[in-house]
Each structure stands twice: as C-alpha cells, then as structure tokens.
Amino acid sequence: MNMKTVVILLFLALATVFALVCVLLTKKEKVTTCVCTELPSPPEDINGEESNIFSDLTEEEMAQVVTYLKDNLGVPLQDALHAEPADNCIYYLDVCLPVKADALGFLDHSRIRPPRQVLAVVFFGGQPDPNVTEFLVGPLPNPTYHRDITLRKFGRKVPYHSRPVTEKEYRDIDSFIFHELSKAPTFLKDCCEYPEMDLATLTTAPRGLESGDRATWFVLFQNVFGSGYYIHPVGLEILVDHSSLDRSQWEVKNVFYNGQYYQGLAQLEKDYKDGRVKEIRVKRVQPENDFASMKPPMPPPPAPASPLQFEPHGKRYSVTGSRVLYQSWSFAFGMNVNTGPRLFDIRFGKERIVYELSLQEALAAYGSDCPGGMSTRYMDGSLGIGKFSFELVRGVDCPYAATYVDRHYLIDSDTPRLNKNSFCIFEHDMGVPLRRHFSNMGSFYYGGLAQYALVLRAVSTLINYDYVWDFVFYQNGAIEVKVHATGYISSSFFTGKGKAYGNRVGEHTLGTMHTHLMNYKVDLDIEGRSS
Ligand SMILES: *[C@@H]1O[C@H](CO)[C@@H](O)[C@H](O)[C@H]1NC(C)=O
Ligand SMILES: [Cu+2]
C-alpha cells in the first residue's frame, strides 16, 4: 500500500482564525475563570511585577497548597498517583485568576492587588456520598483559607462518577483487561499471536451515554516498539464498566471482535472453539515493514544543512516571567492544565485590545463500524491539553533560536511535574511582504514593508494527535490564532465493511472519518470595554 496514504501527517490547515474575525466574542464579565469574590482583605504586595497576577502557579506555590490542604481538610488525602477510587485525593491545582473587574482595578486604577488564589479540585471518594469538590485556596504564599465553591459554580453537587479518569485508574483498568484476556487463550493465540505479540489498549470517550455511566470501550492494538500503535488495531474491543469504587466489582460489559459482539472473553473463547468466530490472523509487525514507524526506512542521503534564520542584533523581544514585550505588543501568557494555552492583557501600543485570549476545548468526533471508533467524541480538555503539552525540539518544533519556557503542572499526583521547554517564543520572517506596491503608472516608485511576526507556540500531544497551537502577533496590530494538527490518525480494525466510515490505510486498518472543532475564548476590549 501507498506510504503516503498512511502517513500520518495531517496538514489540516485548520481553524486559521484571525482574532479580529473572532470565534467567540465575550464582552460580558459574567465569564470568569473561577469565583473569587468575597475576599478577606488581602495583604498588599508591592513587589511583584504587574503581569504576575496572570502567572501560572510555580512549583513552590503548588507545594504550599498541597501542604495546606493535607493539614486543613480534616480527612486523609492520598497521593492521586496511588489513590484508589474509594480514597480522597487532590486531582489538580490551577491558579484562580482574579475576576476581571479586580484585575483591571489593580492594573488600571491603582486599586489593591487581588490576592493570589488557587483552584484546588479534590476527589472525595472516601465518604458514604462521594463527590468532587472545588476549593478556592488563598492567599499565596501562605494560605490561610479554603472555600468550597462547588455549589456556587455548578449549582449542584458534582457527581463522583463524572470525575476524569486518573493515570492510576488507567493503569488499574489495563491490569483488569489483561487479566480478562487470560480467559480467551486459544482465540488470542490464533488471531493475534498473543502473548508473543505485545498488545496495548487505547481509551475512548465518552464513557457512556447517560448520567451515571462510567464504562469505556478500550480498543486493542499491536504495540510495536518505537511505533504509533494507533494504526495497528487487532480487531478486539472491550467495554469495561469501571464505575464501582471497588475495583474487584469492575466488569466487562461487552466484547467486539471483527464485526461481532460477544458477552465476554470467555464467551468469545467458547464461540471460537465451536467454530462460530470469523477470526482474522494479524501477523506480528516486524520493524522493517512497520508502516507506522517514524524511523526512515533508510538513512537520508547526505545534504547540505537547511536554511536558518539568524538575529544579527540579538532578540527584538523580551520574555520576563509570564510577560512578553515585542515592538508595540505586550501580553501575559500561561497554560491551563486542562484547557491549554491562555493569554491575558494583550496590549498594542498603550492600549489593551484583548483582555483574554484562551483555548477552551479541542473536540474530535469519529465515525466507524467498530464500537470504540463509532462512539468516540474526544473532548481533549478533559484529558489535559496543558498537561500533555510536552517538550519542544529546538530546530524542529520551533526555530532553532527561539526562546523556550518551562511549565509546571500538578494533576493526578501530589508532586508538581515539569514540562520542560513546553512553550516557545520567536520572531520570524513571514516570507511575504506585509505590503508592497510597484508603480509604473503615472510615476515610477516602489514601497514595501518586510513582514516579521512574533509567535507564541505550544504543542499538545493528545493520544495520537499533536496539535500545534500558535498565537501570532503582527506589526500592523493583527493577531492570528491558528492550529496545525499532526501526529497519527486514529483508526479502527478494517472489518471488510468499513469503507463507508473512512479509508483503508493498511491491511487491517481503517482510518476513520472524523471532524475537529477548536474553541477559543476571546474577550476583546478595543476602544474600551463598553462597545
Ligand atoms: C462533598 O464532600 C465534602 C467533603 O466531605 C463536603 O464538605 C461537601 O459538603 C460535599 N458537597 C456536597 C455538595 O455535598
Ligand atoms: Cu484529524
């Protein structure tokens, strides 16, 4: 089959959105990151730089809040890294930005600096009526209060079954699935050369169709070392009900293999032995014929080095903490562990033109003739667009000379983790003039302006996909927001009937039809806040 069809690099020149033709215009103050009113009078801090009211939490701040919560919630808190569903644990922390009026009061009207506060999301699994609670914790650096803001924010209790799946729960589900596989040894030996073949599971979402459900289709793939296993499905999919807080009560609700459903793996084994399963033998992929490999099949021929841009007089922008200055531009930037990159207080010249410009969600909806694929509607904000924003490779992910910035996050664990060099900032020649005119009518003249722009970039790897998030600042006052999607496609097993749902990209692989939707919040404040 054709290599090109398989590969992987989807240059979906998606969603090139100019901020001035915005996706979403939020002029109302109703939308706030979290509820931070009714504050005790905060100590005035005159030392911090202006923009740091928008800064992400530092590693030290996260540690302070973890310690505070452990000492003050009055219940034992397990580390989410090891917590069972029936334990209490901190799920994640994020800075709780001040409401806009307080932020502007401070920035524009020399009012008091809003206190630095934290949103702490806690899973209370260790009580008769488990729930998810959101606390406002403050003020940093030495927290003295925590307030339950759940009811005010959501208007109801947040049900425990709706909580996101932690890394620990994924590991436990995996052990559960591999234990279940031992119920179909003959079938798995014949279809998939298992256990010689290394199998891996892939989650899907949503985890049910109605409130209360917590059951996920896991799709099995051949795990090839150094390869995107997303395009090596073996045909087996398993619906696991992991709603019980007692792991020994988890159940296989359904099994799908090559177009047929079975009640469980023991049933599949029995039906197979009785000759009622149409099995397709999937061969173990060898490294030399692995169409999913990122390794070139042969070393590239020697070639002169590729062009590089250089900055003859050094950088023409500066990055101080979370604030970037570039020509007439100034903005603060950060990363929400769930929703991804966020920018605040974007000024052009002396004026603030955007209060907030932030990614909110990336959604991908799939079609397939296999249950995992056909039910998949990923909402990546629930997986962690910021959490999965990993290290950028100098000279590939961003220009060689870019400035790289680290981010810490705290989710699924009590220990802050470091995503090194996960933002990059660079000024670049855009390769096309901003404007030009050559005249030979009436008189001869030429006027042109070379175009350079400043780019803030992060890349999130959400399972198979890699989304390149760009925020581009042009000399003429335009802001461009764009995303490139690359990485691997998502796939289903090719059952013979799959062509209505995508393209056959491998002997057993159906590249499934899908659509992407990215949602940004843009709060424009051009010429003041009222028009
Ligand atoms: C959730 O559990 C916490 C901890 O026990 C409790 O303080 C809170 O009131 C509960 N929330 C609701 C809405 O029941
Ligand atoms: Cu896609």
Side-chain angles (χ1 to χ4, degrees), residues 124 127 131 133 148 151 157:
F124 283 108
Q127 60 190 33
N131 73 32
T133 298
D148 183 343
L151 290 176
K157 171 187 158 177

Side-chain angles (χ1 to χ4, degrees), residues 25-270:
L25 196 76
T26 320
K27 299 290 288 186
K28 298 267 153 36
E29 221 153 292
K30 275 191 307 207
V31 186
T32 52
T33 309
C34 54
V35 191
C36 313
T37 46
E38 291 172 33
L39 310 164
S41 32
E44 226 175 306
D45 170 9
I46 39 155
N47 300 320
E49 37 130 7
E50 257 195 355
S51 71
N52 85 4
I53 63 169
F54 299 112
S55 317
D56 291 340
L57 296 179
T58 64
E59 198 181 1
E60 296 73 37
E61 288 175 323
M62 292 171 182
Q64 286 157 8
V65 175
V66 169
T67 307
Y68 172 85
L69 290 172
K70 286 191 166 167
D71 292 347
N72 291 278
L73 285 191
V75 292
L77 288 179
Q78 303 301 317
D79 188 330
L81 207 55
H82 313 290
E84 294 293 334
D87 288 333
N88 308 315
C89 66
I90 299 168
Y91 174 51
Y92 82 90
L93 302 181
D94 187 24
V95 63
C96 177
L97 294 171
V99 292
K100 185 174 175 182
D102 294 346
L104 294 186
F106 171 67
L107 293 174
D108 297 350
H109 308 290
S110 347
R111 295 207 200 105
I112 52 161
R113 166 184 288 273
R116 193 146 161 83
Q117 301 184 104
V118 176
L119 174 72
V121 179
V122 177
F123 291 170
F124 283 108
Q127 60 190 33
D129 182 19
N131 73 32
V132 179
T133 298
E134 299 212 345
F135 290 107
L136 183 64
V137 184
L140 288 174
N142 299 302
T144 53
Y145 58 86
H146 61 281
R147 281 202 206 102
D148 183 343
I149 57 169
T150 320
L151 290 176
R152 258 170 69 201
K153 189 165 166 182
F154 299 97
R156 60 176 186 130
K157 171 187 158 177
V158 175
Y160 195 60
H161 59 75
S162 69
R163 74 198 185 283
V165 174
T166 62
E167 289 167 16
K168 158 80 164 107
E169 189 172 355
Y170 279 123
R171 286 197 303 274
D172 289 338
I173 295 171
D174 246 28
S175 317
F176 172 79
I177 289 174
F178 282 94
H179 180 259
E180 287 292 317
L181 291 185
S182 65
K183 296 178 180 168
T186 323
F187 165 74
L188 285 168
K189 180 96 198 152
D190 289 357
C191 77
C192 312
E193 299 183 22
Y194 181 77
E196 288 74 27
M197 182 189 285
D198 187 18
L199 295 178
T201 66
L202 198 60
T203 188
T204 62
R207 308 179 192 283
L209 298 171
E210 59 187 76
S211 185
D213 288 352
R214 192 175 176 83
T216 307
W217 277 103
F218 284 86
V219 182
L220 279 111
F221 292 84
Q222 178 172 180
N223 196 15
V224 185
F225 180 75
S227 169
Y229 70 90
Y230 324 100
I231 52 176
H232 289 308
V234 298
L236 184 63
E237 308 192 356
I238 300 175
L239 178 63
V240 179
D241 185 333
H242 48 109
S243 58
S244 176
L245 304 195
D246 174 359
R247 283 198 274 127
S248 69
Q249 302 297 307
W250 289 358
E251 288 179 275
V252 169
K253 283 284 191 206
N254 210 336
V255 170
F256 175 88
Y257 177 72
N258 189 27
Q260 293 292 318
Y261 290 89
Y262 302 88
Q263 260 154 31
L265 283 140
Q267 182 71 43
L268 174 60
E269 175 82 351
K270 182 172 181 303

Side-chain angles (χ1 to χ4, degrees), residues 311-358:
E311 297 168 313
H313 300 290
K315 299 202 185 320
R316 304 199 298 174
Y317 61 90
S318 68
V319 184
T320 315
S322 56
R323 177 65 65 175
V324 177
L325 300 178
Y326 169 63
Q327 298 186 352
S328 303
W329 290 104
S330 153
F331 60 88
F333 69 99
M335 181 71 86
N336 177 296
V337 67
N338 292 311
T339 58
R342 54 182 169 198
L343 277 61
F344 284 91
D345 193 16
I346 303 176
R347 302 183 201 195
F348 187 67
K350 292 249 167 300
E351 283 186 73
R352 177 180 307 110
I353 59 171
V354 180
Y355 179 74
E356 176 177 357
L357 169 57
S358 54

Side-chain angles (χ1 to χ4, degrees), residues 419-437:
N419 276 355
K420 213 172 150 28
N421 297 343
S422 57
F423 265 120
C424 73
I425 298 149
F426 56 93
E427 186 188 8
H428 217 260
D429 177 352
M430 302 311 275
V432 66
L434 179 63
R435 66 164 170 77
R436 61 95 69 201
H437 183 66

